[in-house]
Amino acid sequence: MDSNIKIIAPSMLACNFGKLEDEIDLINKSEADWFHIDVMDGVFVPNISFGTPIMEVFKKHAKKTLDVHLMIVNPERYVQKFAELGSEILTVHLEASTHLHRTVENIKNNGMKSGVAINPHSPVSSLNTIIGDIDLVCLMSVNPGFGGQSFIENTYKKVEELKNLIEKTNSRALIEVDGGVNKENAKQLFDSGANVLVAGSSVFKSKDPISTISYLNSL
Ligand code: DX5
Ligand code: ZN
């Protein structure tokens, strides 16, 4: 893994869905690297976001990598579908997939990069036996389900632990941090070893999303 990689991935959950094409265009024009797309089923998490019809809109208009975060039970059911919908990175929750190794292999066999997300309560050590097989770990820094929540401070420690695990095992996985990321904590996250910062509210609720992204990108 190239630990110098730094990627900004705005979470589209916080955008204005009433003008989705304009919001996608804003990210196309910004210095962001990826689109982070949160799919929630109302079962794994207490909220429902959107499904495949909205994903079609991203596929059609987005000009950057589609980083899809599935917060759904039994995500293996939809692997092929999201490949068809243009997902380049598909992340599933460790807590939601019983046969995680098979799911990860299936994601890669469908031509995508495979990501595994863990909830704030799940230890980094729960990744010990899968870290060598995946391209990305998404460390949840809030309890998944909603945008706009406060960042959980214990995440810095988890980033460092995960970085050690990745180095020890020669894994290629990137470290993504998702939830409550903002201008105040982003630098410390990068310094702790994070590679990808997902930012929803701090980007879309800011006065000037383009310059917020550009600031995050400059760290
Ligand atoms: C939370 C989602 C996050 C969320 C981030 O369940 O996975 O991607 O949209 O939003 P903010 O940055 O507002 O916490
Ligand atoms: Zn997410």
Side-chain angles (χ1 to χ4, degrees):
M1 183 195 69
D2 178 354
S3 53
N4 291 323
I5 292 180
K6 287 182 182 174
I7 286 170
I8 304 300
S11 166
M12 302 310 288
L13 190 65
C15 84
N16 180 349
F17 283 92
K19 46 172 194 158
L20 183 54
E21 279 186 45
D22 293 345
E23 298 284 65
I24 293 173
D25 208 39
L26 182 137
I27 301 305
N28 281 338
K29 289 188 181 123
S30 77
E31 290 174 30
D33 305 280
W34 295 354
F35 285 81
H36 183 82
I37 299 173
D38 290 301
V39 178
M40 304 177 181
D41 66 354
V43 180
F44 179 65
V45 289
N47 193 17
I48 298 173
S49 57
F50 50 77
T52 52
I54 293 288
M55 191 61 201
E56 301 270 6
V57 182
F58 285 110
K59 185 184 182 193
K60 187 159 176 216
H61 297 284
K63 298 198 173 96
K64 298 178 177 182
T65 295
L66 301 182
D67 169 38
V68 177
H69 178 191
L70 295 183
M71 284 160 276
I72 67 176
V73 294
N74 305 325
E76 51 281 351
R77 294 169 296 161
Y78 291 99
V79 169
Q80 198 189 331
K81 184 70 191 166
F82 277 91
E84 288 162 11
L85 287 165
S87 173
E88 284 165 67
I89 303 158
L90 192 62
T91 296
V92 299
H93 268 263
L94 174 126
E95 301 88 359
S97 185
T98 309
H99 302 286
L100 183 63
H101 183 270
R102 183 190 288 150
T103 307
V104 160
E105 292 307 305
N106 197 6
I107 290 172
K108 292 187 287 187
N109 290 340
N110 275 276
M112 298 176 285
K113 303 258 190 219
S114 66
V116 170
I118 61 170
N119 283 335
H121 77 275
S122 291
V124 167
S125 61
S126 58
L127 296 160
N128 283 356
T129 50
I130 199 78
I131 195 72
D133 300 301
I134 59 180
D135 302 288
L136 177 142
V137 173
C138 176
L139 288 180
M140 291 309 303
S141 39
V142 297
N143 286 294
F146 304 93
Q149 302 183 80
S150 305
F151 179 80
I152 297 173
E153 297 283 325
N154 186 47
T155 309
Y156 298 116
K157 214 170 83 198
K158 287 179 86 175
V159 172
E160 283 165 17
E161 259 181 76
L162 177 56
K163 195 180 173 195
N164 286 337
L165 176 66
I166 287 169
E167 282 172 2
K168 203 173 70 193
T169 55
N170 273 324
S171 160
R172 63 182 177 281
L174 295 175
I175 302 174
E176 178 175 73
V177 176
D178 185 8
V181 174
N182 55 38
K183 280 171 146 178
E184 284 68 50
N185 56 24
K187 170 120 180 41
Q188 194 177 341
L189 285 166
F190 276 141
D191 289 348
S192 305
N195 303 113
V196 186
L197 298 185
V198 175
S201 308
S202 65
V203 165
F204 286 102
K205 311 293 180 219
S206 70
K207 262 201 196 113
D208 182 356
I210 292 274
S211 71
T212 302
I213 291 168
S214 166
Y215 173 79
L216 294 171
N217 199 41
S218 73
L219 295 172

